[in-house]
């Protein structure tokens, strides 16, 4: 054939493929979500095979191993004992609570590890909702924001580097920024869950924390999965309110939203590859239907290709381990 343009020339060897590769996935792009509880035993999580509810000692060890493999940051998710759950979620800002204790221990053991905390009330209130619930079942926006401010200040005081509000209340980024600044925490960053969708992919996570809503669903605050333009509206607000990083969640079913946010804003974009996405791969790999490592690398690279600067993933340590072994 008389064919001067042959794109296959750029795919001929691994060396050339490496030279023309547009997207890299390395441990430096990954944030490792870790579950913790007040017990002294590390418990396997039934709803999320391969994940663990860590004791404080186990958490510090696991975070240290991940960090040594090149993972820059972890994000904490606490399982709070039923005895401490209340209607007003006040355990969420207890300075002697599980999360502040864990932050302090992590920063002491691993000063260069970036510690991110989840700011939302669902692990702490008896309703299992991210916000405070009125007697008639409505989720109260402004009252919740006031509670989130107390929670974020508690985390910052304990040494958190980044607070990550995952609640989807209106106005919470501005309120957190202003309260953090007033308290002298100008350097504590906000990673906002900008476009968090009301998603069935969170099911296994709620099992891990025993944090499923006791009634109704989260559709009055989390976004409708049919909407993408609305994510740009949330992004403009978060940017104006002072968010440092925007997040899209879940990741793979929302690659178009990641792409749109990347085009729309100069802010860094994070994507959360959530529990249901993790489990779909785990289940397929466990039945021998898919090659876990290959699927994970292809999937996470596609999230980067769509425009995510960083990815929160339960596979973070696996990826870092494969890369450290040159696999
Ligand atoms: C709640 C929160 C959820 C997740 C992270 N923070 C669950 C929810 O909104 O119901 C889900 C993470 C996952 O599924 O991996 N504040």
């Amino acid at each position: 054939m008389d064919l001067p343009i042959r794109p296959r020339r750029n795919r001929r060897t691994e060396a050339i493929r490496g030279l023309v590769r547009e997207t890299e996935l390395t441990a430096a792009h990954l944030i490792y979500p870790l579950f913790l509880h007040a017990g002294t035993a590390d418990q396997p999580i039934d709803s999320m095979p391969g994940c663990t509810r860590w004791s404080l000692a186990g958490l510090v060890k696991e975070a240290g191993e991940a960090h040594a493999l090149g993972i820059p940051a972890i994000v904490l998710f606490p399982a709070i004992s039923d005895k401490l759950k209340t209607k007003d979620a006040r355990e969420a800002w207890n300075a002697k609570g599980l999360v502040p204790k864990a932050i302090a221990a992590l920063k002491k053991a691993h000063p260069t590890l970036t510690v991110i905390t989840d700011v939302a009330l669902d692990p702490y209130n008896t309703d299992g909702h991210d916000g405070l619930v009125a007697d008639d079942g409505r989720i109260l926006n402004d009252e919740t924001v006031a509670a989130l401010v107390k929670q974020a200040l508690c985390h910052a005081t304990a040494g958190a580097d980044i607070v990550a509000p995952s609640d989807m209340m209106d106005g919470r980024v501005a309120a957190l920024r202003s309260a953090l600044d007033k308290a002298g925490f100008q350097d504590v960053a906000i990673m906002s869950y900008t476009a968090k969708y009301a998603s069935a992919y969170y099911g296994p996570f709620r099992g891990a924390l025993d944090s499923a809503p006791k009634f109704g669903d989260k559709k009055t605050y989390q976004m409708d999965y049919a909407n993408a333009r609305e994510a740009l509206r949330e992004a403009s607000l978060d940017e104006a309110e002072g968010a440092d990083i925007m997040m899209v969640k879940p990741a793979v079913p929302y690659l178009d939203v990641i792409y749109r946010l990347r085009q729309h804003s100069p802010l860094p974009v994070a994507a959360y590859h959530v529990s249901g996405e993790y489990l779909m791969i785990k289940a397929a790999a466990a039945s021998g239907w898919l090659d876990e490592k290959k699927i994970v690398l292809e999937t996470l690279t596609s999230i980067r290709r769509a425009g995510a600067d960083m990815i929160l993933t339960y596979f973070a340590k696996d990826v870092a381990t494969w890369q450290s072994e040159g696999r």
Side-chain angles (χ1 to χ4, degrees):
M1 284 165 85
D2 179 12
L3 205 53
I5 299 176
R6 291 178 182 264
R8 285 186 55 196
R9 280 193 290 267
N10 281 349
R11 302 179 202 134
R12 194 170 58 83
T13 65
E14 181 49 34
I16 296 173
R17 288 193 295 273
L19 287 170
V20 301
R21 188 158 296 133
E22 300 171 33
T23 310
E24 297 289 348
L25 175 78
T26 73
H29 302 117
L30 303 179
I31 299 173
Y32 189 22
L34 290 170
F35 299 100
L36 68 153
H37 73 142
T40 50
D42 300 327
Q43 299 172 338
I45 298 175
D46 294 340
S47 70
M48 293 180 66
C51 291
T52 303
R53 223 177 275 109
W54 298 102
S55 64
L56 205 52
L59 174 79
V60 170
K61 184 163 178 280
E62 178 71 3
E65 288 175 15
H67 195 37
L69 288 165
I71 293 170
I74 57 113
V75 56
L76 291 176
F77 291 105
I80 300 297
S81 101
D82 276 342
K83 290 192 302 262
L84 295 173
K85 297 189 186 189
T86 56
K87 186 88 186 154
D88 63 3
R90 74 180 89 94
E91 180 62 17
W93 52 91
N94 174 5
K96 299 199 174 85
L98 183 58
V99 167
K101 231 189 270 172
I103 298 167
L106 286 165
K107 291 303 292 186
K108 183 158 178 248
H110 316 299
T112 60
L113 176 71
T114 297
V115 175
I116 307 174
T117 59
D118 190 61
V119 175
L121 303 180
D122 48 317
Y124 300 95
N125 70 25
T126 35
D127 299 300
H129 276 284
D130 293 29
L132 298 171
V133 183
D135 292 339
D136 62 4
R138 275 177 312 127
I139 312 298
L140 298 165
N141 191 87
D142 300 13
E143 292 81 349
T144 298
V145 170
L148 299 173
V149 161
K150 291 189 252 182
Q151 184 180 22
L153 286 173
C154 166
H155 295 171
T157 304
D161 297 288
I162 302 178
V163 293
S166 69
D167 56 287
M168 290 302 279
M169 296 300 122
D170 293 332
R172 90 280 210 212
V173 171
L176 292 188
R177 188 67 272 155
S178 143
L180 288 167
D181 289 352
K182 272 200 202 94
F185 296 116
Q186 286 86 354
D187 291 338
V188 173
I190 298 175
M191 173 189 280
S192 175
Y193 286 64
T194 295
K196 177 171 179 180
Y197 287 88
S199 171
Y201 286 95
Y202 308 150
F205 173 97
R206 293 175 187 169
L209 295 188
D210 188 22
S211 64
K214 297 292 180 294
F215 67 90
D217 52 43
K218 299 192 173 184
K219 290 181 183 168
T220 69
Y221 45 107
Q222 298 179 348
M223 285 175 53
D224 183 339
Y225 57 67
N227 294 354
R229 275 197 330 263
E230 193 181 342
L232 303 184
R233 202 170 172 221
E234 289 283 1
S236 297
L237 282 169
D238 277 358
E239 217 179 309
E241 290 182 29
D244 298 283
I245 299 169
M246 301 196 286
M247 192 200 295
V248 175
K249 175 182 176 187
V252 176
Y254 299 87
L255 292 182
D256 59 322
V257 178
I258 296 172
Y259 182 76
R260 285 182 210 218
L261 253 60
R262 163 50 60 247
Q263 306 300 307
H264 176 81
S265 168
L267 283 185
V269 176
Y272 198 144
H273 188 251
V274 301
S275 57
E277 298 179 85
Y278 166 82
L279 273 189
M280 292 197 307
I281 295 177
K282 277 284 179 201
S287 27
W289 289 333
L290 291 175
D291 178 320
E292 177 168 342
K293 186 192 152 200
K294 286 183 177 160
I295 292 285
V296 168
L297 294 177
E298 181 175 340
T299 302
L300 298 182
T301 302
S302 77
I303 299 170
R304 292 262 305 135
R305 193 190 63 233
D309 299 287
M310 62 201 96
I311 306 172
L312 293 84
T313 170
Y314 304 101
F315 288 115
K317 198 178 173 206
D318 295 328
V319 171
T321 303
W322 296 329
Q323 288 179 343
S324 75
E325 293 167 352
R327 291 200 277 151

